[in-house]
Amino acid sequence: MNKENNKKIPVGILGATGMVGQKFIKLLENHPWFEIVALGASSRSAGKMYGEVVNWQVDGAIPQIIAKMKVQSCEPKYPCQIVFSGLDSSVAGEIENAFANAGHLVISNSKNHRMGTSIPLLIPEVNADHIELIKTQSFSNGGAIVTNPNCSVVGLATALKPLDDIFSVKAVDVVTLQALSGAGYPGVPSMDILNNVIPYIHDEEDKVETEPQKILGCFNDGKVDYHPMKVSAQCTRVPVIDGHLECVTLTLGQKTSKDKILDAWKEFSGEPQKLKLPSAPNNPIVYFEDPRYPQPRRHSNLERGMAVSTGRLREVGDGRWKFIVLSHNTIRGAAGGAILNAEILIKKGYLRDE
């Protein structure tokens, strides 16, 4: 927020009519720093009022001022520096590049740029130092792209970070039980998911097996040296609306105890907490002693959906441990995570004076 004139920072949303775009709108409705000034969508919606074209799926009504806002095409002519992208990956790459080359700071939820060598794949509590990758980008007019990870990876990498810092993570096996909202709208057909679990999500396992190595990698001399740990994933879709639950088995490089692991989670915090960013959870990781928890319906919304929950920590032997991790896939794993990324970028001085 501009401290001199007390005005909010204008932002735009690409893919504003989609599920992630709608979540951006809801989370930004009363944000203390940001004000939505542009909504971008396909040519079918451009030129029409947002309330006329959106199939609103988020809890609560569309903010009245947003409902009356005219939708624009996804062309880089927005009156704002920051642009949040909830675009589908089929179109995101080219459009995000165009906005970055026009001088916009693009905060993307799409997969297209995540593994680019100069693109921060950012979880601010975990790898805030990777923001420096922006300085190696070659977009015109001072533009840049920053991405947040796959919605399952956010919870997994956050839970791994304090354990890796102290005990060194060598290998991870994870089975995900992913909520329906992660598939967007209309998403998975009811005849496929009711009374059922689908043990396959297209392209998902590759993301879960590769993104954590970049996120937990070391930033050295303008690049990220990937973490050497091995990650094996099996990804499933379950009949739950929100909240990705994951069953994790990991191998640590050092012997430790349950109490020490719990202390590592309890004491963990990062730059967002130090900077007191508006979207930052007070407690990034919350552990439940009750073996029935965490559960998506009961715990996905902890800390406004921005906390990661863990539970059922137990030792397997030979340096191996098991636990459960839960995160809200459309808040912490999507729109909320992207907004937190924008907040830390502002605090770190990446918003140009205009």
Side-chain angles (χ1 to χ4, degrees), residues 251-292:
T251 303
L252 297 176
Q254 298 179 25
K255 291 184 178 181
T256 187
S257 66
K258 180 176 180 178
D259 286 342
K260 288 181 178 178
I261 291 176
L262 294 182
D263 286 343
W265 279 336
K266 182 179 179 180
E267 295 169 5
F268 176 68
S269 66
E271 288 289 298
Q273 288 70 42
K274 294 176 185 176
L275 297 171
K276 300 186 184 302
L277 300 179
S279 299
N282 292 323
N283 301 293
I285 302 174
V286 177
Y287 181 79
F288 287 95
E289 291 286 354
D290 191 321
R292 299 173 299 166

Side-chain angles (χ1 to χ4, degrees), residues 17 39-50 53 69-75 78:
T17 57
L39 301 171
S42 68
S43 57
R44 297 188 303 274
S45 300
K48 301 175 183 177
M49 297 296 179
Y50 184 79
V53 298
M69 190 175 291
K70 185 175 289 188
V71 176
Q72 302 180 43
S73 60
C74 292
E75 298 177 4
Y78 294 1

